[in-house]
Amino acid sequence: MELENYPLFQSGETYILMLIDSGDGRTFWIKGQVNGTYFVAGNTTLKFGNSEPSLPKKKNNLDSAVIEKLENFNNKVQVLDTIDFRERLDKDLKRK
């Protein structure tokens, strides 16, 4: 995997990436760059980039990793409930 100076990722972290094929079947880009990037920390997922009001919001119990990401990105992230978000992803993938 090549990230080319992508400042978001740190070793040992977990992410969900929305990828799009570049056309060769071997190279993929993050769809919408930051907008297709989700940081997963236990029961909290952070969606970077533009907010999507339809996604399941998380309201409390943020751990230190999540708080650090929020501070580093000037709170320009959407805080989601991981379980609800994954259920939403599963439903969306089954529809396609």
Side-chain angles (χ1 to χ4, degrees):
M1 176 194 291
E2 183 176 325
L3 299 174
E4 296 185 18
N5 299 319
Y6 201 67
L8 183 63
F9 303 129
Q10 300 297 320
S11 180
E13 295 178 335
T14 301
Y15 289 86
I16 296 172
L17 303 175
M18 303 301 165
L19 302 176
I20 187 167
D21 189 338
S22 68
D24 66 7
R26 297 182 346 193
T27 304
F28 296 85
W29 297 313
I30 299 172
K31 186 174 184 176
Q33 209 165 13
V34 173
N35 288 316
T37 305
Y38 299 78
F39 169 67
V40 180
N43 60 2
T44 304
T45 296
L46 298 180
K47 181 201 179 299
F48 294 91
N50 298 330
S51 290
E52 293 183 34
S54 65
L55 294 177
K57 295 176 182 68
K58 179 166 177 66
K59 297 176 179 135
N60 53 19
N61 299 329
L62 303 180
D63 68 21
S64 59
V66 170
I67 292 168
E68 182 180 338
K69 289 288 183 193
L70 287 170
E71 291 170 355
N72 288 340
F73 288 87
N74 299 319
N75 293 315
K76 293 182 180 178
V77 297
Q78 187 174 358
V79 182
L80 309 174
D81 180 275
T82 298
I83 294 170
D84 291 343
F85 178 60
R86 286 188 183 207
E87 287 175 0
R88 170 78 180 269
L89 286 177
D90 288 343
K91 286 179 187 174
D92 287 349
L93 289 172
K94 287 177 184 173
R95 278 188 238 153
K96 293 185 178 190

